[in-house]
Amino acid sequence: MGEPRVTGLRSAEFAVPDLAAAQRFYEDCWGLETVADTAGAVFLRGTGAEHHILVLRPGAERRLLRVNLAADDKGTVDALHDRAAGLGASVDPPAEIDEPGGGYGFIFRDLDGREYMVSAGLAEPEAQPPTIDRPVKLSHVVQNSPQRQAQSAQFIDLLGFKLSDRTGYMDFVRCSSDHHAIAITTIDAPTLNHCAFEVPNHDALMRASGRMKRAGHPVEWGVGRHGPGNNIFAYFIDPTGYVIEYTAEVEQVDDSYRTGMPEDWERPPEFHGDSWGFAAPASERFREATRG
Ligand SMILES: [Fe+2]
């Protein structure tokens, strides 16, 4: 066995002031399906084999409560815990997870105090056939941090992530063949920037975006194609104020990938962060909401 490492992104957990309204939005507009609605929390799945990809919990205000990461087995969970603890990270002991999907995991807190859980052994429902307009899985989470490079170093040193690219304001780290699972952007407050959900392809992204638009949720930035990761994007704001993204065609990479640095990613400002040069500038609402 090689070095223990995280192998995937499972789910994000949002605090929402109106649980019923948030559940309705994520089912009817965003395209997820409720798998468990127990003990005051709602667990929603995509069409992939992950038990759930989003958890909604009651809370007075918008706050990312946790990001859940995957490890291959219980032994790897224990090994990752021991390594993180040994390197001085803030961690809780591994334990059985008494929630829908079950499993075994430990919590660690990043340098800004945000919670992540590394888990294994969750129930794995059969993947559904991909649809033309629904998310398959959680694709990436972007965190704001005043200490970007120290944060990405922690993911690399403690959890076995790799640095895929570093731009002038963002570090992209990966734990699978997806170009990035986590990105950290330089913004003073340690808040959530956005969460991205993968849809099967460009056509699905357009259809899902059309559904959102017709339901009164306009595209706040996009449709466009990112530089690092080369993924297509369309960004929205949910009823609580979370920034959420449909994404597709994220670049698949392996150890031969050459890590890009800021000088590799300089682009003309009139492209507005879109490799196609098609997208209009992001909305002011989007800029405000991504600051958390
Ligand atoms: Fe994104």
Side-chain angles (χ1 to χ4, degrees), residues 219-235:
V219 177
E220 304 287 345
W221 184 31
V223 173
R225 188 183 279 284
H226 283 305
N230 200 37
N231 44 322
I232 303 170
F233 62 86
Y235 287 88

Side-chain angles (χ1 to χ4, degrees), residues 98-170:
D98 185 20
E99 291 227 306
Y104 175 82
F106 74 95
I107 289 170
F108 95 95
R109 293 166 200 85
D110 72 10
L111 298 170
D112 293 319
R114 284 179 286 220
E115 268 190 24
Y116 294 77
M117 178 177 266
V118 178
S119 60
L122 272 76
E124 280 181 30
E126 197 138 324
Q128 299 168 353
T131 71
I132 55 167
D133 61 359
R134 290 180 51 206
V136 177
K137 66 174 189 176
L138 184 64
S139 180
H140 61 262
V141 175
V142 178
Q143 301 276 29
N144 301 323
S145 177
Q147 42 186 342
R148 162 169 56 124
Q149 297 194 13
Q151 289 284 17
S152 52
Q154 211 187 30
F155 281 98
I156 293 162
D157 297 341
L158 304 184
L159 302 177
F161 280 66
K162 296 199 161 108
L163 182 66
S164 289
D165 278 292
R166 169 167 290 157
T167 71
Y169 58 93
M170 203 179 280

Side-chain angles (χ1 to χ4, degrees), residues 6 8 25 33 79 91 96 103 110 122 136 185 212 217 252 264 268:
V6 162
F25 168 82
E33 182 190 338
V91 290
E96 299 294 330
D110 72 10
L122 272 76
V136 177
T185 190
M212 284 287 288
H217 305 285
Q252 298 299 296
D264 297 310

